[in-house]
C-alpha cells in the first residue's frame, strides 16, 4: 500500500485525483497505475484499470489469477467489474469512498448475483493516510 500511496502522489503532481494501484503476484509487483483520466482524455483511466491494462501488456494475458490488487481508494463499480473480469484473487484498499465506492460504501459490487468470479477483499488498510491525501487534494482545489 505504501507504493500505491507514492503512485497516488504521482497522480496528484499531474493534477489528477490522487489514487494509486499496485498489482502483486507471488510478492512481486507485476503492474502499477495511478489516476490518469485527464491526461489520457479517458474516463476509464482510473488507477485500477491502468494497472490492469499494464499487467495485460507485460504478461501477455488478460487474467491475473492469484494476484492481489492494492489501491488507495475503494474502487468504483467500473473498477470492481474490471477486477472481476481480470480474475484478481484479492483486493486490498485504503480509504472508503462514500460517494462512489462499490465494494461496501454505495454498492456491494462483488456480491452481484451471477458473477462467475468472487474476489476476496479487505478495506481500511492505511485508511487514514489514503484518506488524508484525498482530503488535502480536494481542500486545495476548493
Amino acid at each position: 500500500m505504501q507504493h500505491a500511496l507514492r503512485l497516488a502522489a504521482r497522480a496528484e503532481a499531474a493534477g489528477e485525483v490522487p489514487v494509486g494501484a499496485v498489482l502483486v503476484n507471488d510478492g512481486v509487483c507485476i503492474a502499477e497505475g495511478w489516476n490518469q483520466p485527464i491526461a489520457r482524455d479517458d474516463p476509464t483511466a482510473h488507477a485500477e484499470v491502468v494497472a490492469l491494462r499494464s499487467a495485460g501488456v507485460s504478461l501477455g494475458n488478460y487474467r491475473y489469477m492469484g494476484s492481489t490488487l492494492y489501491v488507495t481508494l475503494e474502487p468504483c463499480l467500473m473498477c470492481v467489474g474490471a477486477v472481476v473480469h481480470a480474475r484478481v484473487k484479492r483486493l486490498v484498499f485504503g480509504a472508503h469512498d462514500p460517494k462512489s465506492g462499490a465494494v461496501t460504501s454505495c454498492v456491494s459490487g462483488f456480491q452481484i448475483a451471477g458473477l462467475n468470479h468472487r474476489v476476496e477483499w479487505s478495506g481500511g488498510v492505511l485508511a487514514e493516510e489514503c484518506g488524508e491525501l484525498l482530503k488535502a487534494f480536494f481542500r486545495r482545489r476548493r
Side-chain angles (χ1 to χ4, degrees):
M1 190 62 79
Q2 291 291 342
H3 185 50
L5 277 164
R6 287 189 293 275
L7 295 169
R10 189 169 176 178
E12 181 176 22
E16 305 275 3
V17 175
V19 179
V22 179
L23 188 65
V24 175
N25 199 9
D26 293 327
V28 177
C29 175
I30 58 174
E32 59 186 35
W34 56 92
N35 268 6
Q36 299 175 52
I38 297 167
R40 293 186 179 195
D41 295 318
D42 179 357
T44 69
H46 291 190
E48 302 92 317
V49 172
V50 171
L52 294 173
R53 286 178 179 158
S54 176
V57 170
S58 64
L59 298 174
N61 197 337
Y62 67 102
R63 298 226 169 122
Y64 319 120
M65 308 287 238
S67 65
T68 299
L69 181 65
Y70 296 88
V71 62
T72 58
L73 181 64
E74 179 182 2
C76 70
L77 193 54
M78 174 188 69
C79 292
V80 163
V83 167
V84 169
H85 284 292
R87 303 298 194 267
V88 170
K89 179 179 182 179
R90 183 170 168 246
L91 169 79
V92 179
F93 68 87
H96 288 268
D97 184 354
K99 292 186 178 180
S100 62
V103 178
T104 62
S105 294
C106 296
V107 177
S108 296
F110 291 134
Q111 301 305 314
I112 294 172
L115 293 179
N116 61 354
H117 176 70
R118 295 293 172 196
V119 177
E120 300 168 21
W121 64 269
S122 56
V125 176
L126 297 181
E128 191 171 315
E129 294 93 326
C130 294
E132 186 51 42
L133 185 64
L134 287 155
K135 288 174 189 169
F137 172 79
F138 287 113
R139 272 194 305 269
R140 285 190 297 275
R141 294 195 75 172
R142 291 188 182 118

